[in-house]
């Protein structure tokens, strides 16, 4: 059942590779936020003792409502709190696990899942016993995909990880209509939407308008360098009969009010200009990576429109994503190979590596330098004598 186990040979999942990267060297592997705090964010952190006291004395329910409201409105989801219930989890993966278990308990077995996407989503779904069918992100965005017969849950990551592809409003309305007409539940993982205002139209207004059953996973975890103090929100129509609250309470009573308070503060800052600053920061890192690689290395960028905090790099034909990942790792530079993102067709993912952009600019530059010099090795005559090969 565990997809990481193929016979006796262990194929690591992407998170295992990310953990290895944290230990040492240049880590542009995981998608967590590891850039410096902005000055406005620093001011919030400087108030931590006071925030701790407020969290300790405040009313739990009031604080939770404020945090949800602050975050959801900062990402444009103004009607989310009107017709939905919101359960607060320690991470979006915890929310996904709860969703999967609740869906399984309700008898759901057949899931149509966006392809490619981060491997822990198919792994969590398979882990509870679901059968998966891949649906291409392009056909989902175009609204032209045909759902496999018998689909009971359609699960879409938007913006998608690692491609940054966004499900446009018309496509969301289309899939919500299809789901409403056929009794399919529409699941969305919107963890990266804070980076891209094209994913910040009010999804809940569309979902409610079409009358479909939905479960949305929202996430603060990729946005702010809060040392993984974050929340995943599990959002569903009030009165829906999936046993989400029951599974949730099997696992959690709630999350720390200090985290909720930090989210309220960071979300208010985001709405008041912090998201603008964040997109400029990520765009600058993306420009830096693309610029440094475009000048020297025979690579291309398959996701020109992406605004999320990771960037795919297409490797030259003579190598693979796994090959480049391995060679870079030997130099102490950690990217992610992309095989596992293509969970139904790993070979297709081996054309790419993924570079995290939520890092200090110097780290992006060091990673780009290493990629460039690694790829200039073995190119024969084009290799410049004396070119630096160190990271
Ligand atoms: C990314 C890793 C898991 C995940 C990393 C991620 N955590 N597996 N619970 O947060 O894109 O690097 O999503």
């Amino acid at each position: 059942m565990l997809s990481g186990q193929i016979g006796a040979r262990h194929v690591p999942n992407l998170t295992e590779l990310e953990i290895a990267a944290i230990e040492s060297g240049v880590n542009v592997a995981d998608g967590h936020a590891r850039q410096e705090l902005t000055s406005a964010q620093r001011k919030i952190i400087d108030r931590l003792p006071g925030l701790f006291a407020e969290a300790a004395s405040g009313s739990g329910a009031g604080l939770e409502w404020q945090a949800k409201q602050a975050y959801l409105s900062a990402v444009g989801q103004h009607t989310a709190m009107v017709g939905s219930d919101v359960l607060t989890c320690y991470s979006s993966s915890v929310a996904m696990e709860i969703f999967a278990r609740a869906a399984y308990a309700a008898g759901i077995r057949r899931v149509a899942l966006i392809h490619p996407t981060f491997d822990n989503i198919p792994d969590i779904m398979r882990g509870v016993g679901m059968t998966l069918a891949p649906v291409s992100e392009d056909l989902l965005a175009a609204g032209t995909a045909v759902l496999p017969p018998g689909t009971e849950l359609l699960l879409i990551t938007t913006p998608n990880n690692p491609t940054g592809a966004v499900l446009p409003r018309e496509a969301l309305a289309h899939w919500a209509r299809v789901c409403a007409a056929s009794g399919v539940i529409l699941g969305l993982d919107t963890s990266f939407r804070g980076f891209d205002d094209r994913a910040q139209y009010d999804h809940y207004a569309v979902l409610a308008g079409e009358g479909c059953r939905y479960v949305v996973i929202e996430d603060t975890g990729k946005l702010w360098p809060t040392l993984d103090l974050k929340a995943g929100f599990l959002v569903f129509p009030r009165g829906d009969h999936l046993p989400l609250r029951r599974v949730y309470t099997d696992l959690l009573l709630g999350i720390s009010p200090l985290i909720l308070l930090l989210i309220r503060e960071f979300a208010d800052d985001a709405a008041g200009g912090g998201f603008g600053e964040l997109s400029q920061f990520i765009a600058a890192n993306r420009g830096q990576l693309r610029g440094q690689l475009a000048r020297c290395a025979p690579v291309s960028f398959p996701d020109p429109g992406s605004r999320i905090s990771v960037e795919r790099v297409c490797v030259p034909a003579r190598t693979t994503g796994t090959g480049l990942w391995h060679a870079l790792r030997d130099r102490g530079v950690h990217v992610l190979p992309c095989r596992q993102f293509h969970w139904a067709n790993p070979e297709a993912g081996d054309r790419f590596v993924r570079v995290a952009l939520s890092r200090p600019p110097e780290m992006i530059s060091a990673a780009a330098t290493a990629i460039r010099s690694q790829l200039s090795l073995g190119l024969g005559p084009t290799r410049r004598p004396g070119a630096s090969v160190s990271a």
Side-chain angles (χ1 to χ4, degrees), residues 15 18 29-32 93 118 120 161 192 222 336 354:
T15 304
E18 292 176 346
D30 65 75
H32 292 210
S93 301
F118 195 77
N120 86 326
N161 179 7
F192 282 88
K222 303 295 188 290
L336 277 190
R354 193 193 77 170

mmCIF file of all heavy atoms in Angstrom, residues 15 18 29-32 93 118 120 161 192 222 336 354, ligand 1:
data_model
loop_
_atom_site.group_PDB
_atom_site.id
_atom_site.type_symbol
_atom_site.label_atom_id
_atom_site.label_comp_id
_atom_site.label_asym_id
_atom_site.label_seq_id
_atom_site.Cartn_x
_atom_site.Cartn_y
_atom_site.Cartn_z
ATOM 1 N N THR A 15 9.431 14.487 0.713
ATOM 2 C CA THR A 15 9.685 15.047 2.040
ATOM 3 C C THR A 15 10.952 14.454 2.660
ATOM 4 O O THR A 15 11.706 15.162 3.335
ATOM 5 C CB THR A 15 8.458 14.827 2.940
ATOM 6 O OG1 THR A 15 7.325 15.406 2.288
ATOM 7 C CG2 THR A 15 8.653 15.468 4.300
ATOM 8 N N GLU A 18 13.623 16.359 1.278
ATOM 9 C CA GLU A 18 13.644 17.703 1.861
ATOM 10 C C GLU A 18 14.299 17.693 3.234
ATOM 11 O O GLU A 18 15.046 18.608 3.589
ATOM 12 C CB GLU A 18 12.215 18.251 1.959
ATOM 13 C CG GLU A 18 11.598 18.541 0.599
ATOM 14 C CD GLU A 18 10.148 18.988 0.665
ATOM 15 O OE1 GLU A 18 9.510 18.832 1.723
ATOM 16 O OE2 GLU A 18 9.648 19.497 -0.341
ATOM 17 N N ALA A 29 15.418 22.934 -1.397
ATOM 18 C CA ALA A 29 14.589 21.758 -1.642
ATOM 19 C C ALA A 29 13.142 21.983 -1.190
ATOM 20 O O ALA A 29 12.231 22.013 -2.024
ATOM 21 C CB ALA A 29 15.191 20.532 -0.941
ATOM 22 N N ASP A 30 12.907 22.169 0.096
ATOM 23 C CA ASP A 30 11.514 22.226 0.533
ATOM 24 C C ASP A 30 10.873 23.579 0.230
ATOM 25 O O ASP A 30 11.537 24.590 0.082
ATOM 26 C CB ASP A 30 11.402 21.913 2.034
ATOM 27 C CG ASP A 30 12.079 22.964 2.891
ATOM 28 O OD1 ASP A 30 11.521 24.066 3.042
ATOM 29 O OD2 ASP A 30 13.179 22.681 3.415
ATOM 30 N N GLY A 31 9.531 23.551 0.159
ATOM 31 C CA GLY A 31 8.775 24.754 -0.170
ATOM 32 C C GLY A 31 8.405 25.597 1.040
ATOM 33 O O GLY A 31 7.583 26.506 0.939
ATOM 34 N N HIS A 32 8.984 25.318 2.188
ATOM 35 C CA HIS A 32 8.678 26.116 3.373
ATOM 36 C C HIS A 32 9.386 27.469 3.292
ATOM 37 O O HIS A 32 10.391 27.607 2.600
ATOM 38 C CB HIS A 32 9.089 25.359 4.636
ATOM 39 C CG HIS A 32 8.251 24.135 4.879
ATOM 40 N ND1 HIS A 32 7.989 23.632 6.130
ATOM 41 C CD2 HIS A 32 7.610 23.311 4.014
ATOM 42 C CE1 HIS A 32 7.221 22.562 6.028
ATOM 43 N NE2 HIS A 32 6.979 22.334 4.759
ATOM 44 N N SER A 93 -1.197 19.202 5.498
ATOM 45 C CA SER A 93 -1.136 17.740 5.353
ATOM 46 C C SER A 93 -1.994 17.052 6.402
ATOM 47 O O SER A 93 -2.612 16.008 6.124
ATOM 48 C CB SER A 93 0.307 17.251 5.455
ATOM 49 O OG SER A 93 1.092 17.852 4.458
ATOM 50 N N PHE A 118 2.344 17.575 -5.743
ATOM 51 C CA PHE A 118 3.245 17.140 -4.662
ATOM 52 C C PHE A 118 2.865 15.733 -4.193
ATOM 53 O O PHE A 118 1.685 15.455 -3.969
ATOM 54 C CB PHE A 118 3.191 18.132 -3.494
ATOM 55 C CG PHE A 118 4.337 17.960 -2.533
ATOM 56 C CD1 PHE A 118 5.602 18.430 -2.845
ATOM 57 C CD2 PHE A 118 4.156 17.307 -1.320
ATOM 58 C CE1 PHE A 118 6.672 18.250 -1.969
ATOM 59 C CE2 PHE A 118 5.219 17.124 -0.438
ATOM 60 C CZ PHE A 118 6.482 17.604 -0.771
ATOM 61 N N ASN A 120 2.859 13.943 -1.557
ATOM 62 C CA ASN A 120 2.183 13.498 -0.340
ATOM 63 C C ASN A 120 0.659 13.478 -0.499
ATOM 64 O O ASN A 120 -0.026 12.792 0.248
ATOM 65 C CB ASN A 120 2.670 14.257 0.902
ATOM 66 C CG ASN A 120 1.963 15.558 1.170
ATOM 67 O OD1 ASN A 120 1.575 16.247 0.234
ATOM 68 N ND2 ASN A 120 1.812 15.885 2.435
ATOM 69 N N ASN A 161 1.384 22.770 -7.270
ATOM 70 C CA ASN A 161 2.759 22.568 -6.853
ATOM 71 C C ASN A 161 3.269 21.351 -7.626
ATOM 72 O O ASN A 161 2.685 20.278 -7.471
ATOM 73 C CB ASN A 161 2.760 22.299 -5.335
ATOM 74 C CG ASN A 161 4.135 22.033 -4.753
ATOM 75 O OD1 ASN A 161 5.136 22.170 -5.429
ATOM 76 N ND2 ASN A 161 4.175 21.653 -3.473
ATOM 77 N N PHE A 192 -0.902 27.438 -2.005
ATOM 78 C CA PHE A 192 0.001 28.434 -2.597
ATOM 79 C C PHE A 192 -0.720 29.693 -3.065
ATOM 80 O O PHE A 192 -0.119 30.529 -3.735
ATOM 81 C CB PHE A 192 0.789 27.794 -3.753
ATOM 82 C CG PHE A 192 1.940 26.928 -3.282
ATOM 83 C CD1 PHE A 192 1.746 25.588 -2.981
ATOM 84 C CD2 PHE A 192 3.215 27.462 -3.108
ATOM 85 C CE1 PHE A 192 2.804 24.793 -2.533
ATOM 86 C CE2 PHE A 192 4.266 26.680 -2.654
ATOM 87 C CZ PHE A 192 4.067 25.346 -2.374
ATOM 88 N N LYS A 222 3.191 28.139 3.670
ATOM 89 C CA LYS A 222 4.236 28.407 2.682
ATOM 90 C C LYS A 222 4.612 29.881 2.612
ATOM 91 O O LYS A 222 5.512 30.251 1.864
ATOM 92 C CB LYS A 222 3.744 27.965 1.292
ATOM 93 C CG LYS A 222 3.328 26.503 1.200
ATOM 94 C CD LYS A 222 4.511 25.583 1.426
ATOM 95 C CE LYS A 222 4.178 24.122 1.158
ATOM 96 N NZ LYS A 222 3.273 23.541 2.175
ATOM 97 N N LEU A 336 15.037 19.596 -5.614
ATOM 98 C CA LEU A 336 14.217 18.384 -5.641
ATOM 99 C C LEU A 336 14.182 17.831 -7.062
ATOM 100 O O LEU A 336 13.945 18.591 -8.014
ATOM 101 C CB LEU A 336 12.772 18.670 -5.215
ATOM 102 C CG LEU A 336 12.414 18.730 -3.749
ATOM 103 C CD1 LEU A 336 10.894 18.779 -3.600
ATOM 104 C CD2 LEU A 336 12.978 17.555 -2.949
ATOM 105 N N ARG A 354 13.196 20.969 -9.155
ATOM 106 C CA ARG A 354 12.466 22.094 -8.581
ATOM 107 C C ARG A 354 13.368 22.845 -7.624
ATOM 108 O O ARG A 354 14.041 22.242 -6.784
ATOM 109 C CB ARG A 354 11.216 21.594 -7.835
ATOM 110 C CG ARG A 354 10.231 22.698 -7.483
ATOM 111 C CD ARG A 354 9.176 22.246 -6.471
ATOM 112 N NE ARG A 354 9.720 22.199 -5.115
ATOM 113 C CZ ARG A 354 8.991 22.028 -4.017
ATOM 114 N NH1 ARG A 354 7.669 21.863 -4.122
ATOM 115 N NH2 ARG A 354 9.543 22.003 -2.825
HETATM 116 C C1 LIG B 1 6.778 21.382 -0.695
HETATM 117 C C2 LIG B 1 6.317 18.567 3.282
HETATM 118 C C3 LIG B 1 4.790 17.064 4.449
HETATM 119 C C4 LIG B 1 5.608 19.657 2.522
HETATM 120 C C5 LIG B 1 6.561 20.292 1.546
HETATM 121 C C6 LIG B 1 5.895 20.872 0.369
HETATM 122 N N1 LIG B 1 5.495 18.181 4.393
HETATM 123 N N2 LIG B 1 5.027 16.072 3.639
HETATM 124 N N3 LIG B 1 3.884 16.983 5.347
HETATM 125 O O1 LIG B 1 5.151 20.632 3.393
HETATM 126 O O2 LIG B 1 6.250 21.800 -1.719
HETATM 127 O O3 LIG B 1 8.007 21.354 -0.532
HETATM 128 O O4 LIG B 1 4.712 20.930 0.201
#
